[in-house]
Amino acid sequence: MNTAWIGGLLKTRGGRIGGAIAGIALTVALLASLGVFMRDSGASMTQRAITSVPVDWQVELVPGADTAKVTAAIKDAAPVSTMVTAAYADVAGFEFKTDSIQATGAGKALGLGDGYRQSFTRGFRLLTGSYDGAVLLQQTAANLHAGPGDSITLHRVGQPDAQVKVTGVVDLTSADTLFQAVGVPAGAKPQAPPDNAVILPLAEWQSLFGTQAQSRPDSIRTQLHAVLDHSALSNDPNAAYVDVTGMGHNLEARVAGSALLANNLGATLDAARGDALYARVLFLFLGAPGIALGILLTLAVTASGADRRRREQALLRLRGAPMTTILRFAALEALLTGLGGAALGVVLAELLSRLSLGNTAFTSQGALWLAGSALAGILLALAAIEVPSWQTARTLSIVQSRQTVGSRAAPLWQTLYLDVFLLVLSGLVFWRTAATGYQVVLAPEGVAATSVDYTAFLAPICLWIGAGLLTMRLSELLLDKGRGFIAAMIAPLAGSLSGPVTASLARQRRRVAGGVALTALAFAFADSTAIFNTTYQGQARVDAELTNGADVTVTGSTGAPAGNQLPQLAALPGVANAQAIQHRFAYVGTDLQDLYGIDPNTIGKATEMANAYFQNGDAAATLAKLAEMPSAALVSDETVNDYQLKLGDTINLRLQGPDHQYHAIPFTFAGIVGEFPTAPRDSFIVANADYVAKMTAVDSREVVLLRTNGDMATVKAAAQRLVKDLPGIQVTSLADATHIIGSSLTAVDLGGLTRLELGFAVLMVAGAGGLVLALGLADRRRSFAILAALGAKARQLAPFVWVEGTLVFAGGAVLGLATGTLIATILVKVLQGVFDPPPETISVPWAYLGTAIAVGLVAMTIAVLNALREVQIDPLQRLKELQ
Amino acid sequence: MNTTQESQALVVGKNVSRSFEQGGTGVQAVAPASFEIAFGDRIAIAGRSGSGKSTLLHLISGIDIPSAGDLSWPALGTREDLRPGRIAVMFQSPSLLPTLSVLENVALPLALLGVAVDRDGKALEALGLFGLEDLAGKLPEELSGGQAQRVALARAIVGQPDLVIADEPTGQVDRATGTAVMETLISWAEASGAALLIATHDQAIADRLPHGWQMDHGRLSTARQEMAL
Ligand SMILES: Nc1ncnc2c1ncn2[C@@H]1O[C@H](COP(=O)(O)OP(=O)(O)OP(=O)(O)O)[C@@H](O)[C@H]1O
Ligand SMILES: [Mg+2]
């Protein structure tokens, strides 16, 4: 009996069951994929955070401490893979004598033990020469105007001067970490790294500073730098953070009084935790509407068969079948659908995982997600099929269950104005979040607990649901009260049938409005995901461009300026624009800062000049001010505070002239700059290149920014070939920058996830528009048969279908796209913390939206044409329908 | 209806038959039959259940196509010209559009015909003939079986067709109501000059019409016979 029932089921309702299976499969696959992505992104963020740390642990020995004991304690506290000594000595000044004398202020001499360079590779960028002897910091080399082969003088503290031979120049990007003061309480003002330093092999350092250590122990620090065994760390950033912090505390307890710990790995993981939380929230909120849609779609498909099921149930009961039998049949149908959908969904998820992540979803953690998703799919099938059957069987009498046009009482949500309530709630939550400055993710530094203000996401969620319900209410209202209007609109198409067509639609307004709302939700999902993704990608690019300077950046020095090659670089194939800028160093008081000399009128052609870079939020106005006033200079907020500057004030900066001495040059304070392409995170200055060249009498442009319109890697390679003979010149591209940015969230590759989601969204648009329409139309075969028997011609039947199809598609598209754009705007605002700097506007991906609209249109057209094929079926078939 | 020559027959059938193939075994629902229907004819078709009445009506109305034989409508034109307009059918099974009200259902043939003015007035008038004005605003699912049948009858006559075909128009009502319905139909036909072709089990109903056809296991005899039920 059961097998016969299944056979009959598949024959009579194959399409609908197939639709339900497809809906469940989509839901399961999306849910499972989200889980797998979450697992993968967490792991890759932890990995990136770990590899971005220059030194995991810096353990500073208290003078007189027993090195062997501390070494043993470190090894006991944590799995250490490498440990090397690093020694620091204060130097009163550096000096280099040629025909003139260049001297610097105080600095440091850093001695690195054997194998240091091999174990700690991060943060060192050798510009020229080798690590064999004294290696100067880039700034120091520039100040002294010294290079490999030169002998420079170190003014030791309390000891006679010493000579060292320079073998190389290094850009020490991890100077902040290496020179940090270990043991200062968290939250203390971070110490700026020294402007001048030399790095020496430990043996040479000891021969130079051994005596200074005796006479002035306060000027000497000794540290042990350790790399921990990373394979032992968890893939989850939070768990890894808790582990590493725990080990740190353990060490501190063991060595209390004899050593201090700077837990750099812990601090980096601390920051990554917040990012990881953001990423999780992001995946959740980009994916949740998709899952909700999958569920709604499945429910819509099964609901479109509800009339038929009700009639069948009535028949079964008339024939005396007991309720348990009816319910058993329904359960069988649900199980069949659920198992089929879940199996298909798991296969789909595995396929997607292999395609977009390149590995299987079936890891221990992934398998759990897959199993959970499959179970959810089966439950969905039960909810969609078994529950309504049970309800029908319980609540309706046999006579009632024959009714097909259904009850006309307004549903509860309409009477309660739930849609309006949700929209107002969305607005209130958004307003509250805005008032707190969009503090959505809280991962306080140094505190193990993290928190996400999930309520902030009530804004987009309530908006999505509220807008969906409102769409339904408005559509119903239009179909009911706007009959005259619709009839007038379709009169050219439907002629004298516009009345019956409109009346028929009005009677089915709940079903049609449901279709419009579902289509609108699908469009809103596609639209908001796509807009958010495009904005995110654009911002990630801005972020990378900010770090790298431009698509491709050629970085030289004053001695070997990249600007000399500007015409050749500009002429490279694939280069759209090339701009040369100055990168010098300037003393602001005693503080040495980076100075960027630009051409304000043309720099925007090679790199993005975002409004967010400038404190007034207006890039165009700021650059115009620079162009107007040659002596204008933009400085950082900190400098303005330190020197109490007011707009128009003169600031004297000391820059190097051709004699390599620093000379005071007057600049006019014209604005505050927070970020600038290639500039460091701390204080720097932006000024007019022509003015700097004229006043310093040095007309070199150290850096060239290239905007590409061809392949970035090809341009980079070509530029590298062009400048390979110039000493110390570096060519970098955006792609390098995204790696350097490390665990900052915009560096997380959302690509795979969004590709997946955008694909799903298009499927949902097609499914909502087409499938629901197709199933609804199938339900009205009977009406079509009657109309045809009464003598309606094919062209007279067409309006019945086209009008509904057009309403569902156009109404859904218009309202959905409007809702989606609003949701994307809110999401971008709420997730502001993800972006650095925050985006100025949302970016709309027209091509994708065009595709989504086209796919929806095609799906609708196919559904309508398919329904109209019904008209061509021979009269016998129609008669059968009438029996 | 005087646009066509009244001298021509409405329907002419010569050796018309209809058989259904089902899983290899054929059922001959209508054996080769010859008949003619003229303007103003009033014909009752009687016969047992399954004897082929409905099948014959579908053939005559042009909805179904004969398996063999010639069927033509000399005064009405080709098969495509018959409905809506010249021939109207009231089906044995419920055939009201569930999403249209009673009034809209009755007015539907007028809309299909492209009638531009006063469709509702004409529909109300047709409903009025059967005393159904009060039901105008109701939906088909709110009607009793008998009411639905009468609404379908009103829909059949609203377009002033030349031939009204009704399949068991009184199948779901009591004898008295059935008689009244028939009276209405006959007087309407007399006034309009339309021909009537009505299938029924009920001999009393059949007796009210001047012509009686008989179906027996698919065989049609067009001579009046008293039959014992
Ligand atoms: N579409 C069809 N396919 C197969 N057989 C059919 C079809 N329609 C009718 N028949 C068969 O043709 C025969 C005549 O059926 P028909 O409906 O014409 O009888 P009827 O005289 O109208 O019966 P009733 O008085 O019960 O309405 C029956 O045996 C029936 O099974
Ligand atoms: Mg019959």
Side-chain angles (χ1 to χ4, degrees):
Chain A
M1 173 93 183
N2 283 0
T3 38
W5 170 263
I6 290 174
L9 203 65
L10 288 178
K11 216 152 79 194
T12 55
R13 291 213 300 262
R16 190 160 288 129
I17 289 183
I21 287 180
I24 290 171
L26 276 186
T27 314
V28 168
L30 188 52
L31 197 60
S33 302
L34 269 181
V36 171
F37 267 105
M38 222 121 94
R39 172 202 71 188
D40 260 51
S41 76
S44 75
M45 288 184 89
T46 312
Q47 218 42 53
R48 269 201 212 177
I50 289 174
T51 48
S52 75
V53 179
V55 182
D56 288 353
W57 278 5
Q58 284 170 264
V59 183
E60 185 159 314
L61 301 168
V62 170
D66 181 346
T67 312
K69 257 192 188 158
V70 175
T71 307
I74 296 174
K75 287 189 169 148
D76 283 344
V80 174
S81 64
T82 320
M83 195 153 32
V84 184
T85 306
Y88 300 77
D90 289 346
V91 177
F94 298 87
E95 199 177 290
F96 181 44
K97 198 191 279 176
T98 45
D99 34 333
S100 62
I101 295 175
Q102 278 87 18
T104 72
K108 300 259 183 211
L110 173 59
L112 299 179
D114 285 348
Y116 193 96
R117 289 280 318 115
Q118 285 71 47
S119 307
F120 302 88
T121 48
R122 281 240 149 223
F124 292 83
R125 193 161 70 103
L126 190 67
L127 297 176
T128 172
S130 72
Y131 285 109
D132 299 336
V135 179
L136 290 179
L137 242 58
Q138 188 186 15
Q139 280 187 23
T140 313
N143 288 340
L144 296 176
H145 213 73
D150 297 333
S151 274
I152 61 164
T153 308
L154 306 184
H155 300 303
R156 291 184 290 186
V157 177
Q159 296 286 323
D161 288 351
Q163 297 282 318
V164 291
K165 193 164 167 97
V166 176
T167 61
V169 176
V170 71
D171 178 13
L172 201 60
T173 51
S174 60
D176 284 353
T177 309
L178 277 184
F179 290 104
Q180 71 180 311
V182 176
V184 290
K189 202 175 166 197
Q191 256 196 353
D195 293 331
N196 296 298
V198 61
I199 300 172
L200 299 160
L202 191 61
E204 193 177 346
W205 182 91
Q206 270 160 346
S207 70
L208 283 171
F209 297 99
T211 42
Q212 184 177 323
Q214 303 298 321
S215 61
R216 286 287 304 277
D218 61 300
S219 69
I220 301 291
R221 287 186 291 151
T222 310
Q223 295 183 357
L224 292 169
H225 289 188
V227 180
L228 303 192
D229 178 9
H230 298 156
S231 64
L233 291 178
S234 164
N235 265 338
D236 171 55
N238 200 47
Y241 166 75
V242 171
D243 275 1
V244 171
T245 317
M247 294 177 204
H249 291 324
N250 183 299
L251 173 66
E252 281 166 343
R254 285 171 193 267
V255 298
S258 56
L260 296 164
L261 169 70
N263 193 343
N264 300 327
L265 182 59
T268 306
L269 285 171
D270 198 0
R273 278 182 319 149
D275 289 347
L277 267 182
Y278 257 123
R280 183 162 305 171
V281 163
L282 212 67
F283 290 169
L284 219 61
F285 283 88
L286 290 180
I291 293 165
L293 255 179
I295 294 173
L296 284 178
L297 213 59
T298 310
L299 291 177
V301 171
T302 51
S304 72
D307 284 347
R308 191 152 182 169
R309 187 182 3 258
R310 212 178 297 156
R311 264 180 271 135
E312 277 172 9
Q313 271 189 20
L315 215 67
L316 279 170
R317 288 186 72 189
L318 273 174
R319 289 183 192 151
M323 194 132 95
T324 47
T325 312
I326 295 175
L327 288 179
R328 211 179 52 231
F329 284 150
L332 210 62
E333 184 185 341
L335 211 64
L336 193 75
T337 315
L339 284 176
L344 204 64
V346 167
V347 171
L348 201 62
E350 170 66 9
L351 216 68
L352 288 168
S353 170
R354 278 174 188 274
L355 279 180
S356 55
L357 293 177
N359 64 30
T360 177
F362 284 97
T363 61
S364 58
Q365 217 184 346
L368 212 67
W369 266 102
L370 287 175
S373 310
L375 187 69
I378 294 169
L379 289 178
L380 171 59
L382 283 174
I385 296 169
E386 176 73 3
V387 172
S389 290
W390 180 74
Q391 272 180 337
T392 323
R394 281 286 306 272
T395 57
L396 290 178
S397 72
I398 292 169
V399 178
Q400 268 177 324
S401 56
R402 277 178 172 176
Q403 293 193 350
T404 55
V405 180
S407 75
R408 266 164 300 281
L412 195 60
W413 67 263
Q414 269 185 16
T415 348
L416 292 178
Y417 282 92
L418 188 64
D419 46 349
V420 179
F421 172 78
L422 285 172
L423 290 175
V424 170
L425 185 65
S426 162
L428 285 177
V429 170
F430 181 65
W431 175 73
R432 200 211 60 174
T433 313
T436 63
Y438 306 106
Q439 297 274 317
V440 174
V441 169
L442 288 178
E445 245 176 77
V447 180
T450 55
S451 73
V452 176
D453 179 12
Y454 285 103
T455 54
F457 294 98
L458 279 177
I461 293 173
C462 289
L463 176 61
W464 194 68
I465 302 174
L469 291 178
L470 187 69
T471 300
M472 204 137 136
R473 182 195 292 276
L474 291 179
S475 306
E476 278 195 44
L477 207 69
L478 174 74
L479 287 169
D480 188 19
K481 300 283 186 283
R483 279 187 215 193
F485 171 73
I486 295 180
M489 290 291 288
I490 65 172
L493 177 74
S496 55
L497 278 173
S498 57
V501 168
T502 321
S504 179
L505 275 178
R507 301 268 154 55
Q508 303 173 79
R509 59 181 175 272
R510 189 148 303 158
R511 190 177 56 72
V512 178
V516 177
L518 204 57
T519 311
L521 288 180
F523 266 109
F525 171 54
D527 187 33
S528 58
T529 309
I531 290 181
F532 184 85
N533 181 42
T534 317
T535 309
Y536 183 93
Q537 299 288 334
Q539 213 51 35
R541 204 190 136 83
V542 168
D543 206 352
E545 207 173 83
L546 189 60
T547 307
N548 187 57
D551 292 344
V552 174
T553 303
V554 185
T555 313
S557 57
T558 310
N564 291 354
Q565 305 288 319
L566 182 63
Q568 292 89 324
L569 287 168
L572 288 177
V575 172
N577 194 279
Q579 296 289 326
I581 63 171
Q582 292 167 334
H583 177 210
R584 310 275 180 89
F585 296 100
Y587 275 105
V588 185
T590 55
D591 184 23
L592 190 66
Q593 295 188 6
D594 296 77
L595 180 140
Y596 297 90
I598 61 162
D599 293 329
N601 293 321
T602 54
I603 182 155
K605 289 182 185 166
T607 184
E608 169 88 17
M609 284 287 112
N611 290 332
Y613 295 171
F614 307 99
Q615 206 190 47
N616 62 358
D618 191 342
T622 311
L623 290 173
K625 217 190 247 178
L626 270 185
E628 230 169 68
M629 191 197 312
S631 67
L634 309 174
V635 304
S636 61
D637 207 11
E638 215 179 293
T639 310
V640 174
N641 287 335
D642 287 352
Y643 295 91
Q644 297 291 312
L645 295 177
K646 280 182 275 307
L647 284 178
D649 283 357
T650 298
I651 22 177
N652 285 311
L653 302 178
R654 286 184 296 125
L655 280 108
Q656 264 183 333
D659 55 355
H660 308 310
Q661 304 287 350
Y662 282 87
H663 303 283
I665 296 169
F667 284 84
T668 313
F669 170 47
I672 298 175
V673 60
E675 279 164 307
F676 205 76
T678 73
R681 293 265 155 179
D682 55 353
S683 301
F684 62 92
I685 303 150
V686 176
N688 281 304
D690 289 341
Y691 182 74
V692 172
K694 194 180 101 194
M695 300 304 282
T696 56
V698 179
D699 190 13
S700 59
R701 305 274 176 118
E702 287 76 10
V703 179
V704 174
L705 306 176
L706 301 177
R707 172 155 287 170
T708 61
N709 53 13
D711 179 42
M712 231 178 256
T714 317
V715 172
K716 179 184 169 184
Q720 259 164 345
R721 275 196 300 277
L722 197 66
V723 300
K724 67 175 188 300
D725 293 333
L726 296 173
I729 285 207
Q730 286 264 331
V731 182
T732 52
S733 77
L734 275 195
D736 309 323
T738 31
H739 288 297
I740 295 166
I741 295 169
S743 81
S744 135
L745 187 60
T746 30
V748 170
D749 187 16
L750 276 184
L753 177 79
T754 43
R755 262 199 306 284
L756 178 82
E757 286 200 34
L758 295 179
F760 269 104
V762 166
L763 277 183
M764 302 271 185
V765 165
L771 192 63
V772 171
L773 204 62
L775 293 171
L777 293 170
D779 259 2
R780 279 169 295 130
R781 252 182 214 149
R782 197 183 130 74
S783 300
F784 268 31
I786 295 171
L787 276 163
L790 288 178
K793 305 285 179 277
R795 74 180 153 72
Q796 290 181 307
L797 284 171
F800 281 91
V801 199
W802 277 115
V803 171
E804 178 175 342
T806 310
L807 259 175
V808 167
F809 170 74
V814 169
L815 292 171
L817 289 176
T819 308
T821 308
L822 204 60
I823 290 176
T825 312
I826 290 186
L827 266 181
V828 167
K829 281 270 179 218
V830 168
L831 289 172
Q832 229 173 50
V834 173
F835 302 109
D836 181 23
E840 281 150 30
T841 51
I842 54 168
S843 318
V844 181
W846 296 110
Y848 173 78
L849 291 184
T851 309
I853 292 173
V855 168
L857 195 63
V858 168
M860 184 273 278
T861 308
I862 290 175
V864 166
L865 291 180
N866 189 46
L868 285 178
R869 261 206 347 226
E870 194 61 35
V871 183
Q872 273 121 45
I873 287 171
D874 86 280
L876 256 186
Q877 282 296 117
R878 286 184 207 144
L879 282 175
K880 266 189 194 160
E881 295 280 345
L882 289 175
Q883 298 294 297
Chain B
M1 67 212 57
N2 291 325
T3 50
T4 47
Q5 297 144 286
E6 302 223 350
S7 59
Q8 284 188 313
L10 284 172
V11 190
V12 178
K14 285 192 186 108
N15 296 319
V16 173
S17 68
R18 179 70 168 100
S19 46
F20 296 103
E21 288 300 330
Q22 261 185 344
T25 58
V27 180
Q28 188 156 60
V30 177
S34 298
F35 51 85
E36 203 175 304
I37 301 172
F39 277 98
D41 272 359
R42 322 232 190 287
I43 305 165
I45 307 181
R48 287 173 184 275
S49 179
S51 58
K53 302 183 294 292
S54 294
T55 306
L56 183 63
L57 293 189
H58 292 151
L59 290 171
I60 292 173
S61 65
I63 295 173
D64 198 1
I65 298 169
S67 310
D70 289 327
L71 186 57
S72 63
W73 298 266
L76 303 178
T78 66
R79 183 188 305 278
E80 280 67 45
D81 304 326
L82 305 177
R83 292 162 298 115
R86 318 308 301 269
I87 295 181
V89 190
M90 188 225 118
F91 297 95
Q92 184 174 9
S93 52
S95 64
L96 298 180
L97 280 169
T99 56
L100 294 182
S101 70
V102 165
L103 185 69
E104 287 157 352
N105 258 293
V106 176
L108 189 59
L110 298 174
L112 289 174
L113 279 168
V115 173
V117 290
D118 198 27
R119 293 200 294 256
D120 285 358
K122 287 180 179 136
L124 266 179
E125 203 177 302
L127 279 171
L129 279 181
F130 296 95
L132 296 169
E133 306 95 319
D134 295 347
L135 298 181
K138 288 207 187 281
L139 282 173
E141 65 184 27
E142 298 167 310
L143 304 180
S144 74
Q147 285 170 333
Q149 282 189 322
R150 276 176 286 155
V151 172
L153 264 187
R155 185 175 67 184
I157 64 167
V158 75
Q160 300 290 329
D162 295 322
L163 170 60
V164 169
I165 296 175
D167 200 346
E168 303 284 359
T170 60
Q172 293 205 33
V173 294
D174 56 282
R175 168 82 39 105
T177 313
T179 310
V181 167
M182 283 310 292
E183 292 298 343
T184 308
L185 206 54
I186 290 165
S187 60
W188 168 82
E190 273 165 1
S192 73
L196 288 179
L197 180 59
I198 290 166
T200 178
H201 297 116
D202 190 336
Q203 197 57 48
I205 299 286
D207 286 346
R208 306 196 78 87
L209 299 175
H211 298 289
W213 292 2
Q214 188 72 33
M215 287 291 284
D216 186 15
H217 290 94
R219 280 187 302 282
L220 170 73
S221 68
T222 53
R224 175 169 282 276
Q225 291 176 7
E226 295 302 321
M227 62 171 233
L229 275 171

